[in-house]
Amino acid sequence: MGTDDADSSTPTGQFSKHTETTAVGAARHLGAGRRMAGWLKAVTWIASLALLSAVIFAGYWFIRLQSNLSTAPLNAGSTPTGTINQATDRMQILILGSDTRDGANAEYGTSDDSTGYGQSDVMMLMDISADNSRVSVISFPRDLLVTIPECTDQKTGEVYPERSGAMINEAMAQAGIGCAVDTVNKLTGLEVDHFMMADFNAVTELSNAVGGVEVCVSDPVYDPDSRLRLPAGNSSVQGEMALAWLRSRHAFEDGGDLGRIKAQQAFLSWLTRKVTGDGTLSDPVKMLRIADVVTRNLTLDEGFASPSALVTVGSRLKNIDVGKVAFVAAPTTQSVIDPNRLDLAQPAASQLFAALRDDVDLTDPTGTESPTPAPTEVPTTPAATETTPAEPVAPIYDKALQPVSVANGSGVPTRYQEIATALIADGFTQLGEAAAVPAEQTVIYYSAEFADVAADVAALFGIPDTQLIASTSVYGVQLNLGADFATGTQYGAATLPPDVVNQTAGDVVCQQVNPFLIDRG
């Protein structure tokens, strides 16, 4: 008995009792450890569930937005020269509004009101600079007469021959959106990277999604054709009234296309200010709602048709200065072959397209991208201060007797007269017009005995010496104008037409109502 008592009091016995005897239970510190392990498991389970939910949510929206998108080929005959980085390169997007009456658009007319792929009711070229500091939006009137290049319907393989004197909004009606892209490329000398085409329904749903867009008219207006009815002053339009604003062809100014374009640009200006001013582009919930609306009613080219690409473009625009979003209308004049149609106004249109090709900031009145750097100061030396600059040496020949001809290969019909006027003003009065073929680069050809005359002609226009070529095929001097000298009288210098920018997104503009559509009742 004594031995049993002694054994039961030993440390070994106590340790055995705590670890093995079920009647006593587990040690207190081991129970706390098990409770902690359970708490950690719960937290881990909740975190995993939250992460899984986020992944499912993101996946759901990606699949939904991706499935919303419709696609079409970028071109209908021309071949792009390369691809761009959508996050860092200069990007040009052709924005089209289709007048198709299919599906949800049936209430705006029957399918007979639009043929083939539908006509482009709105056509704007958005040009985003590489550094995201500015955006230019160029509108093309639907009644503008252009040359539509040969286009191949990418679905059927049917080839449509080149057409001259066709309305620009007909470009996609037969061969698809890619034909509209090729037409704009041919017209401007630019290369469109992507396109976005929306239908009537997109406008109504988008304006609802952003809670309305502010517009302004000078007088009460009622347009029975578009059903636009607004009081004078500011109004918030959405749904059907927003669409009526964009569709109205006669409500503004003199009832022509330019008034319609200005109203469309004003709408986009107000929309730009709204989405950048209320933080929409930084609000995931708002962006998802808008993205869902937009993608359901949007057709894009295959290289642009992904939610990530659209997000990339949106992120590029979210911090832009609204004063650097320039809205421009292609310069036009009444057509010489049809008073109800428009032609490009020259040389203003060529000046605008040349400035765009040169990536000029259209909001800068000087047409320069940035201020010219101040010249570097060179320390003067006694020898330098004593040297008198040489006076220009006058030609040793009579300019009025020198045979100078101009071959206009620039593609701009008015260029011969512009250059001839500059030559005559400088004293070269013995002028002729030579036969020309389209050329990319400007070159001056001269016969050997007229090298000094050729040099002076080059200096007059700022043409580099490397573009002077001696030739036995000409007598005297022949200035061959290329597409690189389509505007102005100084080679390589972009010249902008006056008042080229209608407004910026920072401007608040009230539209002048067509006097015949003022609502007086």
Side-chain angles (χ1 to χ4, degrees):
M1 180 181 295
T3 304
D4 289 342
D5 290 340
D7 289 342
S8 65
S9 63
T10 62
T12 301
Q14 292 176 2
F15 179 75
S16 299
K17 184 169 62 176
H18 281 296
T19 57
E20 296 178 1
T21 304
T22 57
V24 177
R28 193 177 304 172
H29 66 277
L30 290 178
R34 288 173 184 171
R35 286 194 296 273
M36 182 66 73
W39 180 81
L40 285 174
K41 286 179 182 179
V43 171
T44 302
W45 184 84
I46 293 171
S48 299
L49 183 60
L51 180 60
L52 180 60
S53 299
V55 171
I56 293 173
F57 179 79
Y60 163 77
W61 275 105
F62 183 87
I63 294 171
R64 174 168 172 166
L65 296 179
Q66 184 71 58
S67 64
N68 282 347
L69 293 171
S70 299
T71 63
L74 176 62
N75 303 98
S78 67
T79 303
T81 58
T83 58
I84 63 166
N85 185 315
Q86 294 174 348
T88 59
D89 290 342
R90 182 185 180 192
M91 181 184 292
Q92 290 165 341
I93 304 172
L94 186 63
I95 301 172
L96 300 160
S98 170
D99 69 354
T100 180
R101 268 74 172 182
D102 293 335
N105 302 286
E107 65 179 282
Y108 307 110
T110 67
S111 58
D112 293 335
D113 295 325
S114 62
T115 59
Y117 291 95
Q119 296 175 325
S120 49
D121 202 48
V122 176
M123 182 180 286
M124 297 179 176
L125 179 62
M126 181 168 68
D127 183 10
I128 306 173
S129 66
D131 62 0
N132 304 325
S133 65
R134 51 191 165 81
V135 174
S136 300
V137 182
I138 299 86
S139 295
F140 299 94
R142 53 179 288 153
D143 294 335
L144 177 63
L145 298 182
V146 299
T147 296
I148 298 176
E150 178 182 287
C151 291
T152 302
D153 187 325
Q154 301 298 298
K155 289 183 179 179
T156 66
E158 185 172 355
V159 178
Y160 295 88
E162 179 176 294
R163 289 190 294 155
S164 298
M167 285 174 54
I168 195 170
N169 74 329
E170 298 174 1
M172 76 175 190
Q174 292 178 317
I177 306 172
C179 194
V181 171
D182 289 350
T183 300
V184 171
N185 287 345
K186 181 179 180 66
L187 184 68
T188 63
L190 298 164
E191 184 173 311
V192 173
D193 301 302
H194 298 294
F195 69 73
M196 303 170 65
M197 187 184 75
D199 56 20
F200 295 147
N201 196 54
V203 176
T204 60
E205 291 196 18
L206 177 60
S207 60
N208 286 332
V210 299
V213 176
E214 292 292 320
V215 298
C216 178
V217 289
S218 61
D219 301 275
V221 60
Y222 174 58
D223 178 5
D225 291 337
S226 67
R227 294 175 283 184
L228 176 69
R229 188 192 292 271
L230 292 173
N234 294 323
S235 298
S236 179
V237 296
Q238 61 187 91
E240 294 298 321
M241 199 55 64
L243 179 60
W245 176 277
L246 293 176
R247 291 189 67 209
S248 180
R249 299 198 63 194
H250 308 295
F252 309 108
E253 297 194 0
D254 63 356
D257 240 357
L258 185 57
R260 180 176 190 246
I261 283 175
K262 287 183 177 179
Q264 291 171 347
Q265 293 175 339
F267 183 93
L268 292 178
S269 294
W270 286 311
L271 182 60
T272 300
R273 290 195 300 273
K274 184 175 183 66
V275 299
T276 57
D278 67 1
T280 296
L281 293 175
S282 302
D283 186 327
V285 176
K286 290 182 179 179
M287 280 300 296
L288 279 178
R289 184 169 66 249
I290 293 174
D292 191 34
V293 167
V294 169
T295 54
R296 285 201 310 268
N297 301 282
L298 205 62
T299 301
L300 305 104
D301 59 278
E302 290 96 335
F304 200 34
S306 73
S308 58
L310 296 176
V311 169
T312 297
V313 174
S315 65
R316 290 182 65 167
L317 300 177
K318 68 179 181 180
N319 295 320
I320 196 165
D321 178 358
V322 291
K324 286 295 184 179
V325 180
F327 291 95
V328 178
T332 57
T333 186
Q334 187 180 68
S335 173
V336 296
I337 63 174
D338 185 343
N340 296 314
R341 301 290 181 255
L342 299 170
D343 289 331
L344 287 177
Q346 298 295 356
S350 295
Q351 290 171 347
L352 171 61
F353 299 151
L356 290 171
R357 291 193 296 271
D358 290 342
D359 198 17
V360 170
D361 181 355
L362 301 183
T363 63
D364 181 351
T366 65
T368 56
E369 290 190 80
S370 56
T372 304
T376 304
E377 270 192 41
V378 179
T380 58
T381 63
T385 54
E386 292 172 3
T387 301
T388 302
E391 292 292 328
V393 178
I396 59 175
Y397 58 83
D398 185 349
K399 288 185 177 181
L401 301 178
Q402 309 310 309
V404 179
S405 60
V406 178
N408 182 17
S410 68
V412 181
T414 57
R415 286 300 283 158
Y416 170 77
Q417 191 57 51
E418 293 165 8
I419 296 300
T421 300
L423 284 165
I424 291 170
D426 197 56
F428 293 101
T429 56
Q430 189 176 325
L431 287 178
E433 184 173 6
V437 294
E440 291 298 320
Q441 187 179 56
T442 297
V443 176
I444 296 178
Y445 295 102
Y446 62 92
S447 50
E449 64 272 32
F450 290 92
D452 52 349
V453 181
D456 288 337
V457 171
L460 173 64
F461 297 109
I463 298 169
D465 292 342
T466 54
Q467 290 166 225
L468 275 64
I469 301 175
S471 172
T472 57
S473 301
V474 301
Y475 175 71
V477 175
Q478 180 172 304
L479 170 55
N480 281 32
L481 299 173
D484 59 343
F485 195 16
T487 64
T489 56
Q490 282 300 299
Y491 183 78
T495 303
L496 283 174
D499 303 320
V500 64
V501 177
N502 288 338
Q503 65 183 84
T504 71
D507 298 329
V508 179
V509 180
C510 206
Q511 303 304 304
Q512 190 68 38
V513 172
N514 180 353
F516 294 102
L517 291 181
I518 292 177
D519 187 3
R520 306 183 189 279

